[in-house]
Amino acid sequence: MKWNTVKPIEWAVVGVVAILIGAIYVLSPEIDGEQHADILQDIAVLEEDNSIITAIVVETRFGMLPNFDSLVTAVNTAAQEGKELKSKLPFEEEQSLVEAWQAYQETFDGKLEVIEDFKSHSAVLKNSVSYIPIAIREFLEVAAENDSDPKLINAAQTLLIESLIFSQDYGFEHVDSVQESVHILMANQDKVSADLLDKIQGVLLHAQAIIDFKSEVDGLVNTIFKTQTDLKIQQVLAAYLVAHNRKHEQVDRYRAFLVILASLLALMIISLLFRLTRTTNRLKKSLDEVNFQKFALDQHAIVSIADVKGNIVYANKKFCEISGYKLDELLGRDHRIVKSNEHDPAFFKEMWKTIAQGKVWTGTIKNKAKDGSIYWVNSTIVPFLDENNKPFRYVSIRTDITNRVEMEAALEQARDEAEQGNRSKSEFLANMSHEIRTPMNAVIGLSHLLLHTKLDETQHDYVSKVLSSGNLLLDIINDILDFSKIEAGKLDFENIEFNLDDVFEEVFTLININALKKGLKLSLDRKSDVRHHLIGDPLRLKQILINIASNAVKFTHKGEITFVLDEVKRDSDKIKLQFSITDTGVGLSEEQAEKLFSSFSQADTSTTRQYGGTGLGLSICKKLVELMKGEIKVESTIGEGSTFTFSAEFGLGEEKTQSAKEITFQVQGAKVIVVDDEQTSLDIFEDMLQGFGFEVTTSLSAAQAIGEISKAKEAGEPFEYAVVDWKMPKQDGISLCEEIKDDFHKGGKSRIILVTAFDADIARRLIKRDLYNELLLKPVMPSSLLNAIQSCQEEEIVKQAEHLECVDEGNGVSGAKVLVVEDNIINQKVAIGLLKSFGVSCDVANNGLEGVQAVKDNLYDAVLMDIQMPLMDGVEATTEIRKDSADLPIIAMTAHAMKEEQDKCKKAGMNDYVTKPVNPSNLLEALQRWVRQD
């Protein structure tokens, strides 16, 4: 630590210590002497109250008090004193105090219960003592009238005296005399008259009550005497004193800690004051240095000082030189004296707002000198603040940048001219590309037509090469056109709703031919929960994917090309997706990868290069990705392959199609086994199928699959569907299908789906048709896989439909006649079976042309119209029918539930639609809405 400086951290430490002292003082416990005295007094009073209760009980027992009022008052007083004492005791500080008080309270409550019994028993005893003299007097009067036996009279007189003495005696000395008199009276009850007997019984009743209750009352008095409330109160006092002493010790510790902190704070303050004195002296020396620095600053910078009103109070020599004013012309004048009127009022308003808040303002200002010449300065205005943090001076430090500004203006003009030249070049390229495309279209089109005429071998070879070269040239022209559009800023983006699956299918269709020729495998890893209804430009997305994928096929001689789609981020109305394309091709060096996305750049630039191209494709992809608010990059290793990754942002379209769970209501939960020798393919199929709700088992070989199938059969839970790859080592897919075909044949139809990365036409020629239901080409799209599985059970659906029993004839459509226009035989059978179950008769037309003719030749209550059919589709057929039959209900049967498809149907004149696979209840409801049987 330097003893000639005071650091802010030291003041912070002093502040922290001071705050800590205050906090400890506030948090330290206090000893309330007055409350302590009150508690001790209350404990003594409570002890005295309990003693008073005992004394009053004794007085009451022996008749010294006329009633129980004094006892009730003493009990209430003790209870109230107990409540007040309880409210003052610090139970939270000592658990033993809580236990001691609970013990006292239980003892006191028990004493109160005994006192209540004492009161009730004493009342009965007093009552009998009061009434026995009256009962004996009445007995003596009746006995005298009847000349009763003197022995009885003597016994009654003795009973009166002895019972009264006995009732007030604490012991049982006279109980025998009382009992003897009672015995005499009881023994002569049958010898006296009825009226005298009644009097004897009254005497005996009270005498017996005195004997019984006198014993009870004395026992209760003994119990009250033995109740140890005094001892419990002493235990409460002892526990309280323990808590009080412990708190005293805690207070002493807090005070000792406060003394230590206060001493430390005092030492720190003394140290700081000592060093502040030294710092003050040092600052005085620094002031001289500041003045010297000011002098140095004046030699370079343009410096002025103004008051809060903007009037100049100081200007250095540089300010006078650049402005052309003398010092006496500047002092006291407003700073606006050098205003050039170049800047609008909002510029200066913002500047004054900033410095008025005590903040530093920095900016570029155009000023005007006295002679009218213009000069530019970089200005920094620093407010000097008073003790209230209010500005009282503004120091402006400027640097002359006039030459730099003039140079920048010249450079900007040159840049604009260069940009104009680039735009002219790009526009020229765009125009030239369009001009070249017109004759090229003729060359390509006529060459294609010429190939379909009779040509000899040499002519066919020449024309084929012309067509190939023409297509290659057209691709180059398209790249140049796109590049020129981007450069000229004329590239337009669509913002329409599209299905991501459709884009991938088109991409795979285009690149699959070349991939198959080279024996390359294509795969798509797409999570089932990634949204596929998006809003954006599907054409540009497809252009990027095709460009990268075509390069992957071009530079890969063996192995596979894998497409991976993942979701990066999703908001309420937009989503960011990441696309990755990985190949096992020749790869790139680090140097080649760095310049790969540059215009007119290729990895191989030699004149004998193996691969063609303009070097514009990836440059265009990069610009397209950036326009789609994404990024593109490449990771590559020579000899191992490359991974191109790009992201793009799209809007979220409505999920208008039925969800997988709704579509697959007839197959969901079914067991599927997938057989493929590549783990990547297995993972992709497993993810797709699980997304549709299937229970999936995977196998890496035919042998493993056969074992899994046998195990499932033995467990009584056989697989319902099999997805089998064609080309596998050791035992291929065809051999496996031959072996397991009986396990997957149901309803006269195979439930095996064969997949292949090779030519599908060759596969169909080589493989027996009864071995599989559907043949899919890799990479398999989720929708294609789902449709293939559903097609496996169409026969079963048809069979069920054909055996449906007719429903209630009161369903509103029974007896109607409907025309079914459908080209698919299975769908025809399904429709016929369902309509039959509704009690509806029907005719079938195989396409739109037949449907139009059938409507002209027959009367129908409704038409069920398929959309996609040969010769004439459903939309065109509906348009023709509506020319003559405006009121005939036409219900579309479509495999798509998208809104645009629905709008298309309604625009053509259809009344309603049902989606495939047809749900019987939905079809019945649609018919009920439109069929009128008048």
Side-chain angles (χ1 to χ4, degrees):
M1 181 184 293
K2 295 182 179 180
W3 286 93
N4 59 346
T5 59
V6 178
K7 297 182 179 179
I9 187 64
E10 296 178 69
W11 288 112
V13 171
V14 169
V16 169
V17 173
I19 293 171
L20 187 59
I21 290 174
I24 292 174
Y25 179 78
V26 171
L27 296 175
S28 62
E30 296 181 0
I31 299 295
D32 190 339
E34 185 177 346
Q35 185 181 24
H36 176 59
D38 287 345
I39 291 174
L40 293 178
Q41 182 178 355
D42 288 347
I43 290 175
V45 169
L46 184 62
E47 187 174 8
E48 182 180 354
D49 288 342
N50 276 275
S51 299
I52 291 172
I53 291 173
T54 303
I56 292 175
V57 166
V58 174
E59 292 175 356
T60 303
R61 165 64 185 89
F62 293 105
M64 299 170 67
L65 296 175
N67 51 46
F68 298 114
D69 292 347
S70 297
L71 181 58
V72 171
T73 300
V75 169
N76 291 339
T77 300
Q80 184 61 35
E81 287 290 343
K83 289 180 181 179
E84 293 177 1
L85 176 58
K86 182 180 179 182
S87 65
K88 297 176 183 179
L89 289 173
F91 292 110
E92 70 281 357
E93 297 176 6
E94 183 63 39
Q95 179 61 31
S96 62
L97 182 58
V98 176
E99 297 170 356
W101 180 260
Q102 289 177 346
Y104 161 73
Q105 192 65 55
E106 292 172 0
T107 303
F108 181 74
D109 292 342
K111 186 174 182 179
L112 292 184
E113 293 177 2
V114 175
I115 288 173
E116 288 300 316
D117 291 342
F118 168 77
K119 286 163 58 179
S120 60
H121 286 60
S122 294
V124 175
L125 178 62
K126 284 185 177 182
N127 182 63
S128 294
V129 170
S130 299
Y131 279 98
I132 196 167
I134 297 172
I136 291 177
R137 185 187 66 200
E138 290 177 353
F139 166 75
L140 292 175
E141 290 175 354
V142 174
E145 292 175 359
N146 294 329
D147 293 330
S148 298
D149 186 351
K151 184 179 179 181
L152 289 176
I153 295 173
N154 185 50
Q157 291 174 342
T158 301
L159 178 61
L160 174 60
I161 295 171
E162 292 297 332
S163 62
L164 290 176
I165 294 173
F166 174 68
S167 67
Q168 296 301 316
D169 187 11
Y170 187 68
F172 292 89
E173 183 179 347
H174 298 276
V175 68
D176 294 337
S177 300
V178 173
Q179 289 179 343
E180 183 179 351
S181 299
V182 168
H183 179 72
I184 293 172
L185 292 175
M186 290 179 67
N188 290 278
Q189 287 185 83
D190 54 347
K191 300 176 181 180
V192 298
S193 60
D195 54 347
L196 187 58
L197 178 61
D198 181 61
K199 299 301 180 181
I200 288 175
Q201 289 177 346
V203 170
L204 292 174
L205 177 65
H206 287 294
Q208 191 61 46
I210 289 172
I211 293 171
D212 293 340
F213 281 93
K214 189 264 184 186
S215 175
E216 291 288 338
V217 168
D218 287 349
L220 292 171
V221 171
N222 284 334
T223 302
I224 292 171
F225 265 107
K226 293 177 182 178
T227 303
Q228 296 179 332
T229 52
D230 294 343
L231 176 61
K232 301 301 179 183
I233 291 173
Q234 288 301 317
Q235 292 175 350
V236 171
L237 175 61
Y240 167 70
L241 291 176
V242 169
H244 180 73
N245 292 335
R246 184 176 289 114
K247 190 173 183 180
H248 242 302
E249 293 173 358
Q250 189 178 9
V251 169
D252 291 342
R253 285 195 297 271
Y254 269 92
R255 287 175 180 171
F257 192 43
L258 282 174
V259 170
I260 293 170
L261 287 178
S263 301
L264 177 62
L265 181 62
L267 289 173
M268 294 173 67
I269 291 174
I270 292 171
S271 172
L272 288 174
L273 290 175
F274 173 74
R275 280 182 288 133
L276 276 175
T277 303
R278 301 187 65 176
T279 302
T280 303
N281 294 332
R282 185 173 55 82
L283 287 175
K284 288 180 180 179
K285 293 180 181 180
S286 299
L287 183 59
D288 295 334
E289 295 179 8
V290 169
N291 289 329
F292 175 77
Q293 292 169 2
K294 173 181 173 295
F295 173 76
L297 181 64
D298 285 341
Q299 303 311 304
H300 169 75
I302 304 164
V303 182
S304 65
I305 301 176
D307 59 21
V308 291
K309 295 181 180 179
N311 297 322
I312 300 172
V313 298
Y314 170 80
N316 70 350
K317 184 178 179 180
K318 287 286 184 181
F319 189 96
C320 296
E321 289 175 353
I322 197 169
S323 67
Y325 290 98
K326 296 179 181 179
L327 183 59
D328 57 356
E329 292 178 315
L330 293 172
L331 294 179
R333 296 289 299 275
D334 193 285
H335 240 288
R336 295 185 182 90
I337 191 172
V338 293
K339 187 177 180 182
S340 65
N341 294 321
E342 170 74 15
H343 310 287
D344 58 27
F347 175 84
F348 290 104
K349 183 178 180 181
E350 179 64 26
M351 179 189 75
W352 279 104
K353 179 181 178 182
T354 301
I355 61 178
Q357 293 174 348
K359 300 176 181 178
V360 176
W361 180 89
T362 301
T364 301
I365 302 177
K366 180 180 178 181
N367 286 336
K368 184 172 69 173
K370 184 178 181 179
D371 60 3
S373 62
I374 297 299
Y375 64 94
W376 288 84
V377 293
N378 261 347
S379 180
T380 299
I381 303 177
V382 182
F384 278 17
L385 308 179
D386 58 19
E387 61 276 5
N388 297 318
N389 285 330
K390 298 292 184 182
F392 70 94
R393 286 285 188 275
Y394 298 115
V395 179
S396 179
I397 303 171
R398 305 175 185 84
T399 302
D400 184 8
I401 59 168
T402 304
N403 292 336
R404 193 188 79 187
V405 170
E406 291 173 352
M407 187 182 296
E408 287 176 350
L411 289 173
E412 186 173 352
Q413 182 179 356
R415 185 196 64 198
D416 291 342
E417 291 174 356
E419 288 179 352
Q420 179 61 39
N422 285 334
R423 281 194 293 272
S424 299
K425 179 193 70 175
S426 298
E427 290 171 1
F428 171 77
L429 286 173
N431 292 331
M432 287 302 298
S433 296
H434 280 97
E435 292 298 325
I436 296 172
R437 282 169 64 89
T438 301
M440 283 307 305
N441 283 336
V443 171
I444 293 171
L446 293 175
S447 297
H448 182 77
L449 293 174
L450 191 57
L451 284 173
H452 289 79
T453 63
K454 292 183 178 180
L455 301 173
D456 59 32
E457 186 176 345
T458 302
Q459 291 171 333
H460 191 281
D461 180 54
Y462 289 163
V463 175
S464 297
K465 289 178 179 178
V466 169
L467 180 60
S468 175
S469 298
N471 284 323
L472 178 60
L473 182 57
L474 188 61
D475 288 340
I476 295 172
I477 293 170
N478 286 335
D479 281 349
I480 294 173
L481 179 60
D482 279 342
F483 182 75
S484 62
K485 282 183 177 180
I486 294 171
E487 289 291 312
K490 292 183 177 180
L491 188 68
D492 295 325
F493 267 77
E494 285 189 302
N495 199 38
I496 61 174
E497 186 165 335
F498 67 95
N499 191 324
L500 193 57
D501 285 352
D502 295 339
V503 172
F504 273 109
E505 283 189 1
E506 292 180 31
V507 171
F508 291 141
T509 300
L510 287 170
I511 68 172
N512 227 347
I513 297 174
N514 290 331
L516 289 174
K517 288 179 181 178
K518 302 178 77 171
L520 302 178
K521 293 185 178 181
L522 302 180
S523 62
L524 170 64
D525 185 0
R526 174 183 178 275
K527 303 301 180 184
S528 59
D529 58 348
V530 173
R531 287 283 289 269
H532 53 273
H533 284 278
L534 308 174
I535 297 174
D537 193 330
L539 181 63
R540 296 303 176 188
L541 175 60
K542 184 168 62 177
Q543 182 178 354
I544 298 168
L545 289 169
I546 289 174
N547 199 307
I548 298 174
S550 297
N551 282 341
V553 173
K554 182 194 299 184
F555 294 103
T556 303
H557 303 300
K558 63 178 180 178
E560 61 179 341
I561 298 172
T562 303
F563 293 74
V564 178
L565 173 62
D566 203 358
E567 181 178 314
V568 178
K569 181 182 178 183
R570 185 189 300 193
D571 296 326
S572 58
D573 59 346
K574 59 186 177 182
I575 188 172
K576 194 164 192 176
L577 299 179
Q578 179 173 286
F579 303 80
S580 297
I581 302 175
T582 301
D583 62 59
T584 56
V586 297
L588 297 165
S589 67
E590 215 175 291
E591 182 183 355
Q592 291 171 331
E594 285 179 0
K595 62 180 182 179
L596 196 60
F597 296 104
S598 302
S599 303
F600 306 103
S601 175
Q602 291 185 316
D604 181 9
T605 58
S606 65
T607 56
T608 59
R609 57 199 176 101
Q610 182 179 356
Y611 309 101
T614 63
L616 283 176
L618 290 176
S619 173
I620 293 171
C621 287
K622 182 176 186 297
K623 294 183 183 296
L624 291 176
V625 167
E626 290 171 350
L627 290 171
M628 297 168 79
K629 299 180 181 179
E631 298 175 346
I632 187 169
K633 63 180 181 179
V634 61
E635 296 176 359
S636 184
T637 303
I638 290 182
E640 294 183 9
S642 306
T643 296
F644 285 81
T645 303
F646 71 92
S647 58
E649 188 176 285
F650 304 93
L652 289 174
E654 291 185 40
E655 289 295 290
K656 305 181 187 78
T657 54
Q658 293 168 290
S659 68
K661 291 186 178 180
E662 293 171 333
I663 294 174
T664 59
F665 64 91
Q666 292 160 321
V667 295
Q668 194 173 44
K671 294 185 65 177
V672 181
I673 183 167
V674 182
V675 191
D676 199 309
D677 61 310
E678 292 184 354
Q679 185 62 48
T680 303
S681 295
L682 288 178
D683 294 340
I684 293 171
F685 279 120
E686 184 176 20
D687 183 70
M688 287 184 191
L689 292 167
Q690 286 180 344
F692 295 139
F694 290 98
E695 183 181 340
V696 185
T697 299
T698 60
S699 297
L700 279 166
S701 66
Q704 183 183 354
I706 292 170
E708 293 288 350
I709 294 169
S710 299
K711 191 188 303 180
K713 284 174 61 179
E714 291 173 2
E717 297 179 351
F719 292 104
E720 297 183 43
Y721 304 93
V723 179
V724 180
D725 185 33
W726 175 19
K727 296 289 187 177
M728 291 187 293
K730 295 183 180 180
Q731 184 177 0
D732 64 13
I734 300 175
S735 172
L736 176 62
C737 292
E738 289 276 8
E739 195 165 342
I740 65 172
K741 64 181 181 180
D742 293 337
D743 295 316
F744 292 92
H745 228 75
K746 189 173 182 181
K749 194 169 187 179
S750 172
R751 290 199 171 189
I752 298 175
I753 297 164
L754 198 62
V755 296
T756 178
F758 300 94
D759 193 301
D761 292 333
I762 296 175
R764 291 189 179 94
R765 289 197 300 270
L766 295 177
I767 305 172
K768 295 178 183 178
R769 187 62 184 86
D770 63 342
L771 290 181
Y772 65 91
N773 181 67
E774 290 285 340
L775 177 64
L776 301 179
L777 192 61
K778 289 184 179 180
V780 178
M781 299 301 296
S783 56
S784 301
L785 180 60
L786 177 61
N787 291 337
I789 293 178
Q790 285 183 307
S791 71
C792 292
Q793 64 165 189
E794 283 185 352
E795 291 284 358
E796 192 174 330
I797 297 171
V798 170
K799 191 174 181 180
Q800 292 174 359
E802 290 175 345
H803 292 83
L804 287 173
E805 296 181 2
C806 185
V807 298
D808 182 12
E809 293 185 356
N811 58 18
V813 298
S814 180
K817 186 175 183 180
V818 173
L819 173 64
V820 177
V821 186
E822 169 65 66
D823 64 315
N824 185 281
I825 296 176
I826 293 177
N827 289 338
Q828 289 176 1
K829 292 180 179 180
V830 171
I832 293 170
L834 291 175
L835 292 172
K836 180 181 176 183
S837 71
F838 301 154
V840 176
S841 62
C842 65
D843 293 337
V844 176
N846 295 305
N847 54 58
L849 281 176
E850 292 184 12
V852 173
Q853 189 62 44
V855 171
K856 290 180 180 179
D857 297 341
N858 301 278
L859 292 176
Y860 296 104
D861 297 299
V863 176
L864 297 180
M865 181 73 72
D866 186 26
I867 300 301
Q868 295 181 347
M869 294 181 291
L871 301 181
M872 180 182 287
D873 64 21
V875 173
E876 189 178 350
T878 301
T879 304
E880 291 296 320
I881 292 172
R882 283 289 178 240
K883 292 179 181 178
D884 300 319
S885 304
D887 299 327
L888 176 63
I890 302 178
I891 301 169
M893 294 192 302
T894 174
H896 301 283
M898 296 180 66
K899 187 177 184 300
E900 50 264 37
E901 190 76 21
Q902 301 169 18
D903 294 340
K904 185 178 178 182
C905 295
K906 290 181 180 178
K907 189 175 180 180
M910 298 185 189
N911 303 86
D912 209 336
Y913 69 93
V914 291
T915 57
K916 297 178 182 178
V918 177
N919 186 303
S921 60
N922 291 344
L923 178 60
L924 178 59
E925 289 173 4
L927 290 171
Q928 289 172 335
R929 281 194 294 269
W930 299 104
V931 171
R932 299 183 182 90
Q933 302 183 58
D934 297 333

